[in-house]
């Protein structure tokens, strides 16, 4: 283990009796722990972890995400390097920048904010990032390592969900987990991580017949589709844990998830709100991956349970 978080500390300040599984207090604790790890790296190894963020064009949602990531860097002491490229940047120009960042020993994490403009190839960019600096965990090498059960850098959103489940002390062993959505960035790695935690996993997607029947049998439901209110509240098994990853911006400008929250909340043991749930964990886990990557480069292990 390159970096081990202190789970007892993460559970502090959480209201485990509430139905709402909030990401905000957890993100705060995680960032505080990561700030401690950054301090250790600086004091004992004279290195500050550094995250390079590359944004192409000015997609408004991306700008908000990038801002939040840079802010989280500031809170932990991680150095952030923002590269803003114009919307007409070519693949070759982006690749040249990624090669430079790969070769820069001061850079520990590289993130290309998605989506890229339509004329660009996101897979080519992801595959060019050195796997050891791929803090989004999207590189095929890192996804393969996740399958093999030895991942160092894992996709932030599902990894953040796992951290959340541990902090809220949800016992996954033998649980029937249903994951709705099978993207490479959320659904698939989520299913892998839940299997690794000894849950029994069903994966549903847009071609699944009788989605409702699968959802009704879920002790743990993770939904990542981007389809607003796809999951009706009445489908939730009483006492289930519901993780809503989806984000939809409604006409009034507010954000909402894939689950009919108000009705589901009446039936669930735990449910994550949107906003204020999984999204918080995604950002915190990005920082965790950046510090982890710096530990890997330096050959250092940090155990925050003892630090
Ligand atoms: P994606 O479009 O790549 O994948 C969507 C998945 O949902 C697909 O596998 C598809 O088969 C499935 N799906 C679509 N319609 C369905 C239906 N009617 N029934 C069953 N399955 C259906 O999306 P993604 O990148 O995995 O993201 C999913 C959602 O999660 C989006 O709203 C995205 O904004 C959100 N997201 C949130 C975070 C976060 O930090 N909270 C991070 C990543 C993604």
């Amino acid at each position: 283990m390159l970096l081990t978080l202190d789970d007892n500390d993460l559970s502090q300040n959480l209201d485990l009796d509430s139905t709402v599984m909030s990401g905000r207090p957890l993100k705060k604790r995680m960032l505080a722990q990561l700030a401690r790890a950054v301090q250790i790296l600086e004091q004992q190894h004279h290195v500050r972890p550094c995250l390079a963020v590359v944004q192409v064009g000015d997609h408004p949602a991306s700008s908000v995400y990038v801002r939040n990531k840079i802010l989280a860097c500031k809170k932990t002491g991680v150095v952030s390097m923002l590269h803003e490229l114009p919307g007409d940047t070519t693949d070759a120009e982006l690749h040249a920048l990624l090669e430079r960042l790969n070769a820069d020993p001061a850079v520990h994490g590289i993130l290309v904010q998605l989506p890229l403009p339509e004329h660009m190839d996101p897979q080519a960019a992801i595959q060019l990032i050195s796997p050891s600096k791929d803090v989004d965990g999207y590189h095929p090498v890192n996804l393969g390592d996740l399958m093999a059960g030895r991942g160092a850098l894992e996709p932030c959103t599902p990894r953040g969900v796992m951290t959340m489940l541990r902090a809220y002390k949800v016992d996954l062993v033998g649980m029937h987990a249903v994951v709705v959505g099978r993207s490479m960035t959320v659904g698939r790695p989520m299913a892998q991580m839940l299997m690794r935690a000894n849950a029994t996993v069903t994966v549903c997607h847009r071609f699944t017949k009788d989605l409702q029947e699968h959802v009704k049998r879920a002790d743990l439901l993770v939904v990542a589709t981007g389809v607003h209110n796809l999951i009706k509240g009445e489908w939730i098994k009483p006492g289930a844990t519901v993780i809503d990853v989806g984000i939809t911006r409604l006409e009034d400008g507010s954000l909402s998830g894939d689950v009919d929250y108000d009705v589901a909340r009446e039936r669930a043991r735990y449910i994550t709100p949107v906003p204020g749930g999984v999204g918080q964990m995604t950002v915190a886990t990005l920082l965790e991956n950046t510090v982890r990557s710096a530990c890997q480069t330096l050959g250092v292990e940090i155990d925050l349970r003892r630090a």
Side-chain angles (χ1 to χ4, degrees):
M1 292 303 279
L2 298 162
L3 175 71
T4 307
L5 298 176
D6 180 347
D7 287 346
N8 284 333
D9 172 77
L10 290 182
S11 299
Q12 297 285 321
N13 292 348
L14 295 183
D15 182 357
L16 299 183
D17 293 329
S18 162
T19 311
V20 181
M21 202 180 233
S22 177
R24 291 191 205 282
L26 207 47
K27 176 183 170 192
K28 206 169 165 190
R29 289 309 273 214
M30 253 178 102
L31 294 187
Q33 286 194 29
L34 293 170
R36 175 81 193 105
V38 170
Q39 219 177 29
I40 292 169
L41 288 173
E42 206 171 7
Q43 284 170 358
Q44 297 179 8
H45 305 276
H46 315 291
V47 167
R48 264 175 86 186
C50 169
L51 173 67
V53 179
V54 181
Q55 186 182 1
V56 186
D58 52 5
H59 192 274
S62 291
S63 299
V64 174
Y65 292 139
V66 165
R67 230 181 5 254
N68 287 339
K69 289 166 185 176
I70 303 282
L71 195 67
C73 285
K74 288 209 171 81
K75 287 183 181 163
T76 51
V78 166
V79 178
S80 59
M81 225 184 235
L82 175 59
H83 294 266
E84 291 174 294
L85 305 182
D88 59 358
T89 299
T90 62
D91 280 323
E93 285 166 336
L94 173 62
H95 296 177
L97 171 61
L98 294 176
E99 297 280 22
R100 279 206 304 283
L101 295 172
N102 279 340
D104 185 344
V107 173
H108 302 97
I110 304 171
L111 175 157
V112 175
Q113 185 64 45
L114 300 178
L116 288 174
E118 291 240 316
H119 67 278
M120 299 184 83
D121 179 353
Q123 274 310 319
I126 288 167
Q127 293 195 23
L128 210 83
I129 297 173
S130 161
S132 64
K133 297 188 179 188
D134 164 43
V135 282
D136 260 337
Y138 296 164
H139 193 286
V141 166
N142 285 322
L143 291 172
D145 278 351
L146 170 63
M147 284 280 288
R150 52 164 195 250
L153 296 175
E154 300 182 333
C156 299
T157 302
R159 190 181 167 93
V161 169
M162 295 304 284
T163 304
M164 201 170 200
L165 292 168
R166 279 202 322 274
Y168 274 88
K169 303 185 190 295
V170 176
D171 182 7
L172 297 170
V173 178
M175 220 186 211
H176 182 206
V178 175
V179 179
V180 187
R182 59 173 174 182
S183 68
M184 287 304 289
T185 50
V186 190
R188 282 178 209 220
M190 185 79 255
Q192 282 297 329
M193 290 177 200
L194 290 169
M195 257 192 285
R196 188 173 66 191
N198 296 323
T200 301
V201 184
T202 301
V203 179
C204 301
H205 47 79
R206 69 174 81 244
F207 297 106
T208 298
K209 290 185 182 142
D210 294 330
L211 178 63
Q212 175 176 349
E213 290 311 311
H214 292 289
V215 170
K216 280 183 168 171
R217 286 197 293 273
D219 303 311
L220 169 68
L221 177 68
V222 182
V223 193
T225 67
V227 182
H228 177 56
N229 274 354
L230 173 68
I231 307 296
K232 307 299 167 226
E234 307 81 53
W235 299 358
I236 304 300
K237 181 174 173 178
T241 293
V242 180
I243 308 288
D244 193 351
V245 181
I247 304 174
T248 301
R249 189 168 289 280
L250 302 180
E251 273 181 10
D252 65 1
S254 64
L255 296 181
S256 187
D258 295 351
V259 179
D260 173 10
Y261 181 82
D262 290 334
V263 181
R265 187 177 163 175
E266 296 300 315
R267 299 170 71 89
R269 169 63 189 92
Y270 284 127
I271 185 167
T272 58
V274 180
V278 174
Q280 305 288 316
M281 300 307 294
T282 300
V283 178
T285 308
L286 172 70
L287 272 293
E288 182 193 351
N289 275 352
T290 305
V291 176
R292 182 177 292 272
S293 174
C295 289
Q296 193 173 27
T297 308
L298 295 165
V300 170
E301 281 198 26
I302 297 179
D303 186 341
L304 290 164
R305 295 170 300 186
R306 291 195 284 270

